[in-house]
Amino acid sequence: MEFLISTSIIPEQWDSIIAICIGIAFGFVLESSGFSSSRKMAGVFYGYDFAVLKVFFTAAVVAVIGIYYLDYLGYLDVTKLYIHPTYVWGAIIGGAIMGVGFIAGGFCPGTGLCGVAIGKLDAWVYVLGILIGIFIFSELYTVFEPIYNGYYLGNITLIDSFEWNPYWTIFIFSIIAVVAFVVADMVRKKIKKVFY
Amino acid sequence: MNTKPKKNSHIYWNPYFGGFLLGIIIIFTFLLTGRGLGASGAMKSSVVTIVDKVAPTHAENNAYYSQFVKEDDTPMNTWLVFEALGVLIGAFISGSLSGRIRWRVQHSPKISSRRRLLFALGGGILFGLGAQIARGCTSGAALSGMAVLSSGGFITMLAIFGTAYAFAYFFRKNWI
C-alpha cells in the first residue's frame, strides 16, 4: 500500500492483484500444512499433533530473521514497517476470548477460510459465527470502547518495551522455538495417537 | 487400466517446510506493502458492507461501522478483502491437488455433527468478538505482529495460546 507499491516501483493499480497473489500463496501453504482440518489444529492443545506450533513458530522465526536481515542489508527499513499497535488490555482480553473460541471451534479466521474453500461445513458455520461475533462487537461498541481504545502504548516493539538488542532478542526467540519443537516431539511420543 | 495407487488425502506437508514458506510469504508481504497478512479484516469489511446495505443510517450513526464506511467506494475495496479471496483460491487449489475437496462436517467420532456445528458456531462468535477487541486475529495480530517483534503481537499470541491450553480440558470430549 505505501511501500514498494507506492514508491513507484510497482504502480498502484497492481495493489489488488498483488493482494490476491499473496492470498493464494498464503491459502495454499495453510491448506497444504493441514490447517483446513480442525482436528489436526486442535491436536496442539492435547499433544497428539503439533503442526500448529511448528508451522506457526517456524513462520514467525523465519519472518523475523528475514525482515531484520533485509534491514541489516539495507533493503528494508524496519522502523518504516507497520508495527501492530499495543493496546495492553485489548490484546490480553481479546486474545483470551479468541483462545476460548479457538479451542471450541478448532479454527482461527485464516484457517477457517481454508476449511470453507475445501467444503468443510463446520468451517462455513465457524466463519458465519465470526461474522456474528464482529456484528455483536460493533453493535456493543460503546461497551467495548474503553478496552478497545484504552491502555494504548503506541506501535511499540519488544525492543522499545524492554530496551533489548534486536539481534539477541531474535536469537533467543529462535532458541525458544527450537526447544519448543524438541519438547513437542517428546510429548507427542507419550500421548496416545488420535486418528482423524 | 488404473494402476495408480490411491493417494492418502490426509498426508500433509512437513510442518517446518510449510512454516518456512509461510515465513517467506510474510517477509515478501512486508517488503511489498509494508504490512503483514490478515484474515479477520476481510470479515469485518463484510459485516460493515452488509450492515451498510441493510441499514445505512444505522451504520453511519454507529461509532464503529462509520470508521470503515466510505462515501464513494464500497468497504469491500480493501487490500485485506482481496487477500482473503486469494486465501480461498489458494486453499481450493491445494485441496484439489490432494483430493480433499468434498462437503463434510469433520468431527470426533465421539460427538455428533450437530454438536460439532454448535461448538463451531460458538467458537466463531467468540473468535470474531475477540479479534475485534485485540484488533487482529492469529494472522494479523499474532503472526504478523511477531514478525516485526511487536509487543502487542506477542501479548496477543500468549493470550490466545495460554487461554486455549487453560480451557482445553473442558473441551476435551470434542477432540479426543
Side-chain angles (χ1 to χ4, degrees):
Chain A
M1 274 180 282
E2 57 267 329
F3 243 55
L4 282 189
I5 288 175
S6 65
T7 49
S8 75
I9 297 168
I10 303 169
E12 195 125 356
Q13 293 89 321
W14 285 86
D15 206 22
S16 313
I17 308 288
I18 289 171
I20 292 185
C21 293
I22 289 176
I24 290 177
F26 186 28
F28 192 96
V29 170
L30 285 181
E31 210 287 326
S32 297
S33 303
F35 283 13
S36 56
S37 162
S38 57
R39 295 203 67 205
K40 189 175 175 71
M41 302 257 307
V44 71
F45 300 114
Y46 299 101
Y48 64 82
D49 190 324
F50 281 100
V52 169
L53 178 95
K54 291 175 178 171
V55 173
F56 190 76
F57 278 100
T58 310
V61 167
V62 168
V64 76
I65 292 175
I67 287 169
Y68 272 82
Y69 198 61
L70 287 174
D71 174 76
Y72 174 74
L73 295 176
Y75 292 109
L76 191 84
D77 185 354
V78 167
T79 55
K80 291 215 176 94
L81 297 179
Y82 174 78
I83 310 286
H84 178 74
T86 302
Y87 293 82
V88 181
W89 283 103
I92 295 173
I93 295 170
I97 295 173
M98 282 190 270
V100 181
F102 200 166
I103 196 71
F107 286 118
C108 62
T111 58
L113 285 177
C114 293
V116 164
I118 67 159
K120 292 264 168 75
L121 293 168
D122 40 335
W124 282 81
V125 172
Y126 182 79
V127 171
L128 175 71
I130 293 179
L131 297 179
I132 298 172
I134 297 171
F135 180 71
I136 294 172
F137 173 84
S138 314
E139 291 301 322
L140 300 177
Y141 180 64
T142 42
V143 178
F144 293 113
E145 221 238 310
I147 335 170
Y148 181 76
N149 279 330
Y151 310 99
Y152 179 53
L153 299 183
N155 298 60
I156 53 162
T157 63
L158 295 179
I159 314 304
D160 309 319
S161 299
F162 300 103
E163 296 186 354
W164 289 339
N165 174 309
Y167 303 115
W168 278 107
T169 309
I170 294 167
F171 179 70
I172 291 165
F173 179 50
S174 312
I175 301 283
I176 293 173
V178 172
V179 170
F181 298 154
V182 173
V183 172
D185 280 337
M186 279 165 22
V187 170
R188 201 175 67 105
K189 286 202 184 95
K190 292 210 162 64
I191 301 275
K192 198 176 70 152
K193 266 198 165 285
V194 173
F195 292 96
Y196 47 88
Chain B
M1 213 167 68
N2 189 4
T3 50
K4 222 171 104 189
K6 199 168 175 288
K7 247 187 6 188
N8 184 345
S9 62
H10 287 283
I11 300 291
Y12 298 106
W13 279 357
N14 177 312
Y16 301 121
F17 178 65
F20 177 77
L21 286 187
L22 188 52
I24 300 291
I25 295 168
I26 295 169
I27 297 171
F28 199 66
T29 311
F30 269 104
L31 197 56
L32 278 178
T33 69
R35 358 177 98 233
L37 298 164
S40 55
M43 300 175 190
K44 179 181 72 190
S45 300
S46 311
V47 172
V48 172
T49 308
I50 294 168
V51 173
D52 190 36
K53 280 273 174 319
V54 176
T57 40
H58 176 68
E60 234 169 78
N61 294 330
N62 178 300
Y64 195 62
Y65 299 125
S66 55
Q67 297 173 28
F68 310 107
V69 176
K70 292 175 253 178
E71 268 301 312
D72 47 0
D73 200 359
T74 148
M76 292 306 269
N77 189 10
T78 63
W79 200 88
L80 287 172
V81 170
F82 287 103
E83 188 232 53
L85 284 175
V87 170
L88 288 171
I89 300 168
F92 184 79
I93 297 171
S94 164
S96 318
L97 293 176
S98 314
R100 282 193 282 267
I101 299 203
R102 68 193 163 99
W103 294 110
R104 63 182 285 217
V105 178
Q106 187 188 26
H107 60 85
S108 158
K110 289 177 190 162
I111 59 167
S112 64
S113 307
R114 205 181 119 86
R115 182 180 157 109
R116 166 70 188 128
L117 291 177
L118 278 174
F119 273 89
L121 185 68
I125 292 174
L126 288 173
F127 215 117
L129 182 64
Q132 295 315 297
I133 296 175
R135 297 171 185 252
C137 58
T138 2
S139 327
L143 192 53
S144 302
M146 283 161 72
V148 289
L149 298 177
S150 150
S151 305
F154 276 91
I155 298 174
T156 309
M157 182 273 294
L158 289 173
I160 294 176
F161 283 94
T163 322
Y165 272 108
F167 280 81
Y169 179 80
F170 305 105
F171 292 93
R172 66 191 183 285
K173 203 190 152 200
N174 288 0
W175 306 108
I176 51 172

